[in-house]
Amino acid sequence: MMTRNAPAIQAYNSLSILRVMLTGLIGIMLTACAHQPATPSLYDSLGQKTGIENIVSRLIYEIGDDPTIRPYFEDSDLDRFHEKLSEQICEVSGGPCTYSGDSMVDVHTRMNVNEADFNRLVDLLIAAMDHQKIPHPTQNRLLSILAPMRGDIIYR
Amino acid sequence: MCRTAVHFFLLCCAATGVQAGEGKLLGTPGVTQLEGSGGGGIVPWATMAGYASRDETAISGFATRVNVDDYRLSVWGAAINLYDRVEVSFAHQNFYLKGAGSEIRQDIAGLKVRLSGDLVYTDWPQISAGIQHKMLADDTIADAVGAKDSNHGTDLYVVASKLHLGAIGGYNALWSLAGRATKANQLGLLGYGGDDKDSYSLNLEASVAVLLSRQWALGAEYRQKPDNLSFAEEQDWMDLFVAYLPNKHINATLAYADLGDIAGADHQTGVYLSITGYFW
C-alpha cells in the first residue's frame, strides 16, 4: 500500500495522461492538416468529373431503390438533379466547375426533410461511393465538406 | 416491474405511431459504458444511447464483462432514448471477488439530457448532463471497508463529445471529455464516501477514438477516481479498445483494461468485453 500523500501525485499523473492523450490527438490532427497539400486534391481522388458523375448516377440508383427517400424525388427532374449535384460536388471538391443550381435552402424548402432522412441520404451517398470504390478517407473528406450544409436542408 | 414498464412503453410507441430509431449515422451513438449510460466503455459520452433521431425513440440493451486478476465485473442493463434528447438507463452490476468467492451487487439508474450541439454536425461539441443514482444490494462489505454511506450514492456529470469528419488523414476522429462529481468508491461497489474523505470529488473522464472504417473504431480511455477510503488506495482506470459496429442493430467492444489497485489487490489488469443490441 502506498503512503497517504499518494492522491496528490495520482491526480497529477492522471492529468498528465489526459494531457498526453489530448495533445497526441491534436498533434495527429495538425500533422494531417500540414500534409494535405502533398496529397492529391479531393477532386482528383473522387475521379474528377467522370468519377463524380458516376457516384451521382449510383446515388440516384440507390435513391430509386429506397422506399424512404424515393418519395422526396417523385416530382424531381432526375437529369437536372444529376447535373446540378455533380456540378456542386465538383466545385466543393476543388474541381473546375461552378455550381449553377438554386441555393440549398431554396431547393429544400417545403420538402420538410427530417434529421433521420437526411442521415439516410448520407448512408445512400456512402453506399454509392462504396460501390464506386472510393477510399474511406476520401469519402470522409467529401462528407466533411457537405456536412455543414445540413442546416440549410433539414426541417425547411 | 421493469419489464412491465418496457411493455407499456412499447405499447405507447405503437399507439402513437412513433418511429423506431435508426435515424443516426452508423456508430455515432457509441457503445455502452459500465454504469449503463451511452458512451465509451468506462466513461459516458454526450451521445444518447440508441439510433433515435429527434423524431424517434430507441431501446437498447447491453452486457459487459471485465475480467481482471482478482475480480470479475459483470454488468447488464438497458436504455431508452427519447427523441435524442433524454436517455433513461438501468444497469445491474455484479462484482465477483475470486479469492473470497463472494460478490457485491449494485443497481444504477441513470438519466442523461442533451443540452446542446450535435456530435457530428455542429461546430461545437455535443454537450450533455447526467445523473447516475447507485444502490448497493448489501451494505456488509461497504461498511467493513469504512464507507460513510453503504446504501446509495449519486454521481453528477457534464460531458462534451465531438466527432471530426476526416480529421486524421481522412479518418474520422472522436474525443469526449467529462467532469464527474462523485463520492463512489470503485464505482460505488465499495460504498460512497469514506473515513478519509466524505465530500464530492471532481474527476475528469476522457475518451479518444479513431474510426478506421464505418465498422471499426480504435481508441483509449482514462477515468480519474476518487480516493476516500483509508484501508486501500483507489487508483485511476484506463483502457485501450477496439469496437466493431457492423450495423445499427449490434456492436461489440473488446478492450485491455488497467483498473489499478483495487481494495489492496495490486495492479488489476485484464480483458473487457461488451455487447450492445438495439431492439427498437
Side-chain angles (χ1 to χ4, degrees):
Chain A
M1 239 155 57
M2 295 176 73
T3 53
R4 294 310 304 161
N5 63 357
I9 300 166
Q10 190 196 346
Y12 175 78
N13 283 340
S14 55
L15 280 175
S16 305
I17 294 175
L18 281 174
R19 205 179 300 135
V20 167
M21 281 167 70
L22 288 174
T23 39
L25 186 70
I26 291 164
I28 296 168
M29 289 167 80
L30 290 177
T31 314
C33 294
H35 285 171
Q36 254 169 16
T39 59
S41 77
L42 179 56
Y43 175 71
D44 290 332
S45 302
L46 290 168
Q48 301 187 336
K49 200 163 185 295
T50 312
I52 291 168
E53 284 171 357
N54 289 340
I55 292 168
V56 176
S57 296
R58 182 65 197 184
L59 175 63
I60 290 171
Y61 175 87
E62 298 279 346
I63 289 168
D65 215 25
D66 189 280
T68 310
I69 302 302
R70 191 174 54 229
Y72 283 109
F73 289 83
E74 239 148 37
D75 300 323
S76 300
D77 176 347
L78 289 180
D79 288 337
R80 180 182 159 84
F81 174 73
H82 182 272
E83 181 194 328
K84 298 301 174 194
L85 183 57
S86 300
E87 204 174 81
Q88 189 178 25
I89 292 175
C90 170
E91 183 184 29
V92 300
S93 65
C97 314
T98 309
Y99 177 60
S100 61
D102 301 320
S103 77
M104 284 295 100
V105 173
D106 286 348
V107 172
H108 296 96
T109 296
R110 279 184 293 280
M111 284 180 82
N112 199 23
V113 178
N114 65 37
E115 194 177 29
D117 291 348
F118 178 88
N119 282 337
R120 187 155 184 93
L121 187 66
V122 175
D123 283 340
L124 297 182
L125 176 58
I126 290 168
M129 291 192 288
D130 280 342
H131 186 267
Q132 295 305 120
K133 306 269 190 291
I134 303 296
H136 180 73
T138 304
Q139 294 186 13
N140 292 336
R141 287 196 184 100
L142 178 60
L143 294 176
S144 73
I145 294 171
L146 298 176
M149 297 176 187
R150 174 176 177 263
D152 290 341
I153 293 172
I154 61 172
Y155 300 101
R156 293 276 166 187
Chain B
M1 163 62 195
C2 187
R3 189 175 296 171
T4 314
V6 169
H7 283 161
F8 179 73
F9 180 79
L10 286 173
L11 208 66
C12 289
C13 293
T16 55
V18 173
Q19 265 189 294
E22 295 218 342
K24 282 186 196 163
L25 295 175
L26 182 61
T28 53
V31 295
T32 312
Q33 58 97 239
L34 279 179
E35 292 146 309
S37 302
I42 61 172
V43 310
W45 289 355
T47 49
M48 305 285 118
Y51 281 92
S53 71
R54 70 179 79 166
D55 306 303
E56 300 170 329
T57 56
I59 294 176
S60 53
F62 79 100
T64 298
R65 174 160 286 191
V66 193
N67 198 3
V68 293
D69 304 304
D70 296 305
Y71 307 100
R72 190 172 63 225
L73 176 63
S74 309
V75 194
W76 59 264
I80 297 173
N81 176 324
L82 300 173
Y83 308 106
D84 201 27
R85 175 62 66 184
V86 176
E87 174 192 292
V88 183
S89 62
F90 172 83
H92 177 78
Q93 297 180 329
N94 185 320
F95 189 65
Y96 181 69
L97 291 71
K98 293 177 186 174
S102 55
E103 60 186 32
I104 303 171
R105 286 173 293 126
Q106 177 176 248
D107 290 331
I108 302 173
L111 180 71
K112 180 161 62 182
V113 178
R114 181 166 64 86
L115 301 178
S116 71
D118 183 280
L119 180 78
V120 182
Y121 292 110
T122 53
D123 291 337
W124 287 89
Q126 179 164 332
I127 297 171
S128 300
I131 183 169
Q132 290 175 342
H133 184 67
K134 303 172 171 184
M135 298 151 281
L136 273 174
D138 189 311
D139 57 11
T140 316
I141 293 174
D143 276 338
V145 299
K148 270 286 183 286
D149 191 321
S150 48
N151 294 312
H152 53 81
T154 306
D155 291 1
L156 303 163
Y157 62 89
V158 176
V159 54
S161 309
K162 179 83 184 107
L163 179 79
H164 298 273
L165 290 167
I168 300 178
Y171 291 91
N172 298 340
L174 180 143
W175 62 265
S176 184
L177 189 64
R180 179 194 296 257
T182 181
K183 286 187 180 185
N185 310 316
Q186 299 293 2
L187 303 182
L189 295 162
L190 300 182
Y192 321 91
D195 50 356
D196 253 10
K197 184 182 179 187
D198 189 36
S199 55
Y200 272 93
S201 301
L202 178 63
N203 292 149
L204 291 179
E205 305 181 351
S207 299
V208 291
V210 175
L211 285 76
L212 301 176
S213 69
R214 304 279 163 230
Q215 280 86 29
W216 289 92
L218 205 63
E221 294 184 298
Y222 195 87
R223 176 166 174 166
Q224 268 188 320
K225 307 281 291 306
D227 188 17
N228 302 326
L229 301 170
S230 65
F231 96 105
E233 188 199 356
E234 178 165 347
Q235 295 185 324
D236 296 350
W237 286 6
M238 63 161 298
D239 71 71
L240 300 169
F241 69 85
V242 54
Y244 176 53
L245 311 105
N247 54 50
K248 293 181 185 178
H249 303 293
I250 195 163
N251 61 52
T253 308
L254 179 69
Y256 164 79
D258 180 346
L259 309 186
D261 298 352
I262 297 180
D266 285 348
H267 201 206
Q268 298 295 305
T269 61
V271 173
Y272 168 113
L273 181 65
S274 180
I275 295 172
T276 301
Y278 302 89
F279 308 123
W280 167 270

